[in-house]
Amino acid sequence: MDLQFFNTLSRRIETFEPSEPSSKKVGLYCCGPTVYDFAHIGNFRTFLFVDMVRRFLEFKGFEVNHVMNITDVDDKIIHGFNASPEKTSLRDYTAPYEKAFFEDFDQLNCLRPTSIPRATDYIPQMLELIGKLMENGIAYQTPDGSIFFSIQRYIALGGKYGQLVKINFDEIRVGERIKSDEYEKENVADFVLWKARVPSDGELFWPSPWGEGRPGWHIECSAMSRHILGKSFDIHLGGEDLAFPHHEDEIAQSEGSTLCKEGGCKPTPFVRYWLHFSHLLVEGKKMSKSLGNFYTVRDLFQKGYSGREVRYLLLSAHYRESFNFTLEGLNGARTALARLDECLFKLRELAGTAEPPGKQSALVQSFDDALSDDFNLSAGWAALFDWVRQTNKQIAEEKLSPADAAGLLADWARVDSVLAVCPQKKEEEEVPTEITDLLEARQAARKAKDFARSDAIRDELKSKGWVIEDTPKGPRLKRI
Ligand code: AMP
Ligand code: ZN
């Protein structure tokens, strides 16, 4: 089945066809983190969906050029930097947040993007783009030296504003301007491309042909995506809150730069498919820093949860449905993954060194069908847990040969190339020494036929969250 998904641009489900079908190359851009604080798990729900989309495209045989930017200059960063006691350099200020972001990103088993451009490394490209918009009269300078994008002029030259959201043009307030990086969704007005330097910026400014200042947030993504992926590319993704104004403004800037001064030119379409992910909620409200109702990935690690449990939970619901986060949900994720691990463990024991027979089970097909249908993850997980049930049954009935087991493991590996919840080696090996020492003591007690001691050790292990399973290959430690 061909991949289909909901394109925000057309507001309908469309079959995905890359712009270069013969080469199967896909250009994909996702707006990355703003590095002024630790990212919360709401942000990571979005990055996990991006990772799932990229992995599934690769599963389908596409070659993905995945670009994710780092926003390392914006209003919040400048404010944070200027309020920080040690103002060494902007990079020194953002580096710890960027590092923390990638530590969490890796723990959640997200694949590193092909390119990770930082906004501050692309100021010349931003100035070039603003220059193009000035040239064709779509951008204008205000008396304070800032440069704004004129929505009216853009429309007059043949541009379309309101591609991702329906806009009531009666509400466009001519001459009204928005200088802040963030503004209310209802507010349609000219937006800032270049912000003239003001005293509160401190030492954070760059030279430009229009005076010292710094870029607006929207121009950053237009310039970086254009430089790396070209004027036109396949897929742009992000959280639903970014559709307007951020993405709408990205379209206006990018397409506006391809219009001509005299009018009559057709704009080069910026992006062919837009994907927007619904938000993570906490008690019915968007998880956000401003509401203070958020968890970071490290908060959850401190509570004893693992990256794969968080990954499983955040990827359990459909990307177009908001999802209510709870700690009970994470406990449910732990139970579901333990069921999967148990099945995989038994399959590995059974398979030994056998080679897979080379034919695929129904799992890969049903998983492919589920995700090809608008990335229907819930149906994908359902197919997987059906497979676990059936496999367990077949193992119990001794119906599987080692080659069958090896085949099922190969199918699982294919599915897990997208889900990526298989315990990484590190996690498998990470049994604390205190626990392995107890296991050894228990073995010694059993050998000495001191069963009272061996039972006491088993109870102690249980109180620490571990059980011992005696298997034909010897005892095995398992988390409860
Ligand atoms: P930021 O670092 O604030 O620029 O956000 C990074 C990404 O996280 C953006 O794509 C946002 O749309 C997304 N995001 C922010 N809050 C949430 C949330 N509660 N649930 C899901 N995604 C979110
Ligand atoms: Zn962006």
Side-chain angles (χ1 to χ4, degrees):
M1 181 174 166
D2 287 339
L3 171 61
Q4 304 184 350
F5 57 84
F6 187 86
N7 185 356
T8 322
L9 199 57
S10 60
R11 293 167 186 80
R12 59 184 177 82
I13 303 267
E14 281 183 48
T15 299
F16 174 67
E17 280 166 25
S19 44
E20 288 180 59
S22 52
S23 70
K24 292 214 113 186
K25 286 200 167 107
V26 175
L28 179 146
Y29 185 93
C30 109
C31 300
T34 309
V35 281
Y36 72 105
D37 201 348
F38 294 111
H40 57 63
I41 55 166
N43 302 131
F44 276 110
R45 186 185 195 217
T46 288
F47 297 118
L48 279 165
F49 278 136
V50 175
D51 184 64
M52 179 276 293
V53 168
R54 177 229 171 126
R55 285 173 176 270
F56 191 60
L57 284 164
E58 289 176 349
F59 173 99
K60 298 286 262 181
F62 294 107
E63 197 185 307
V64 184
N65 188 359
H66 174 188
V67 182
M68 178 184 76
N69 76 293
I70 302 282
T71 299
D72 61 351
V73 55
D74 87 332
D75 291 352
K76 282 183 279 200
I77 292 176
I78 292 191
H79 182 78
F81 174 81
N82 284 323
S84 68
E86 297 149 28
K87 290 190 254 318
T88 42
S89 71
L90 186 60
R91 189 59 54 84
D92 284 343
Y93 172 72
T94 56
Y97 299 117
E98 190 180 309
K99 183 167 168 279
F101 175 81
F102 282 110
E103 280 166 8
D104 294 353
F105 195 81
D106 293 344
Q107 288 286 342
L108 295 177
N109 214 1
C110 293
L111 295 175
R112 290 283 181 119
T114 326
S115 311
I116 309 174
R118 291 192 188 102
T120 51
D121 291 331
Y122 284 78
I123 305 278
Q125 287 81 357
M126 295 174 202
L127 294 178
E128 191 192 324
L129 197 54
I130 297 172
K132 287 209 163 72
L133 294 167
M134 285 296 271
E135 249 167 62
N136 59 21
I138 293 175
Y140 61 95
Q141 191 161 29
T142 49
D144 76 333
S146 295
I147 310 283
F148 281 83
F149 184 97
S150 162
I151 295 174
Q152 283 206 326
R153 175 87 180 136
Y154 169 60
I155 295 170
L157 288 188
K160 187 166 177 234
Y161 196 79
Q163 299 193 34
L164 295 174
V165 287
K166 282 209 165 65
I167 287 182
N168 178 355
F169 284 94
D170 297 339
E171 282 181 7
I172 293 191
R173 286 168 290 231
V174 182
E176 199 158 313
R177 300 180 193 111
I178 297 290
K179 202 168 174 183
S180 162
D181 282 335
E182 288 174 274
Y183 54 94
E184 291 303 314
K185 289 187 179 226
E186 291 72 34
N187 209 335
V188 182
D190 290 359
F191 55 90
V192 73
L193 300 168
W194 185 256
K195 298 185 189 201
R197 184 181 174 195
V198 289
S200 60
D201 289 344
E203 292 310 302
L204 291 181
F205 64 89
W206 286 261
S208 89
W210 312 283
E212 289 166 345
R214 59 187 165 101
W217 172 38
H218 314 310
I219 199 76
E220 297 181 5
C221 285
S222 282
M224 288 182 274
S225 62
R226 183 196 192 96
H227 187 76
I228 303 170
L229 295 171
K231 279 184 195 158
S232 193
F233 59 94
D234 298 298
I235 308 179
H236 195 314
L237 331 87
E240 60 183 348
D241 57 326
L242 297 193
F244 188 84
H246 183 56
H247 291 160
E248 192 65 49
D249 291 348
E250 278 188 43
I251 298 178
Q253 298 162 149
S254 300
E255 299 195 358
S257 72
T258 66
L259 293 170
C260 33
K261 200 175 178 171
E262 310 74 38
C265 303
K266 264 197 168 278
T268 308
F270 174 42
V271 171
R272 301 168 56 243
Y273 300 87
W274 286 86
L275 263 167
H276 287 102
F277 306 123
S278 291
H279 272 160
L280 188 70
L281 307 178
V282 180
E283 285 150 25
K285 290 205 181 90
K286 176 187 162 185
M287 180 176 283
S288 77
K289 284 176 193 147
S290 52
L291 292 175
N293 61 348
F294 64 90
Y295 286 106
T296 61
V297 172
R298 39 204 72 211
D299 290 338
L300 299 178
F301 289 166
Q302 265 186 357
K303 289 186 187 298
Y305 296 102
S306 65
R308 63 194 292 251
E309 288 163 351
V310 177
R311 182 175 176 104
Y312 173 89
L313 184 66
L314 297 184
L315 286 180
S316 57
H318 198 280
Y319 77 92
R320 285 199 284 132
E321 278 163 18
S322 50
F323 181 72
N324 204 28
F325 174 81
T326 58
L327 290 177
E328 293 89 84
L330 269 181
N331 295 332
R334 177 167 291 177
T335 312
L337 287 173
R339 211 147 41 96
L340 174 64
D341 291 349
E342 186 62 35
C343 175
L344 295 172
F345 176 81
K346 286 192 249 160
L347 279 177
R348 282 189 199 116
E349 269 203 330
L350 196 55
T353 52
E355 287 294 321
K359 64 175 187 333
Q360 249 174 219
S361 71
L363 171 66
V364 177
Q365 191 58 54
S366 17
F367 181 79
D368 187 348
D369 289 349
L371 268 75
S372 296
D373 178 15
D374 198 20
F375 302 108
N376 191 342
L377 273 170
S378 331
W381 289 112
L384 176 64
F385 283 103
D386 262 359
W387 174 87
V388 168
R389 208 170 309 117
Q390 280 168 27
T391 305
N392 282 336
K393 191 162 172 279
Q394 286 176 313
I395 295 173
E397 291 169 358
E398 298 186 0
K399 284 193 177 149
L400 294 180
S401 68
D404 293 336
L408 290 172
L409 284 170
D411 291 345
W412 154 250
R414 191 107 172 79
V415 166
D416 196 48
S417 70
V418 182
L419 297 177
V421 291
C422 194
Q424 288 147 33
K425 273 227 156 43
K426 216 169 118 252
E427 264 179 81
E428 268 181 343
E429 285 160 5
E430 249 173 35
V431 180
T433 18
E434 180 203 5
I435 304 296
T436 48
D437 288 351
L438 280 171
L439 177 68
E440 273 174 32
R442 186 246 192 189
Q443 290 309 95
R446 274 171 67 120
K447 217 169 165 189
K449 300 215 183 315
D450 183 352
F451 295 114
R453 167 124 182 89
S454 124
D455 286 353
I457 297 176
R458 196 195 50 212
D459 291 346
E460 191 181 344
L461 277 169
K462 201 166 172 193
S463 71
K464 292 182 189 297
W466 294 84
V467 283
I468 304 174
E469 265 193 1
D470 289 304
T471 75
K473 290 186 181 162
R476 174 166 80 100
L477 280 163
K478 222 179 86 178
R479 271 197 190 275
I480 296 173

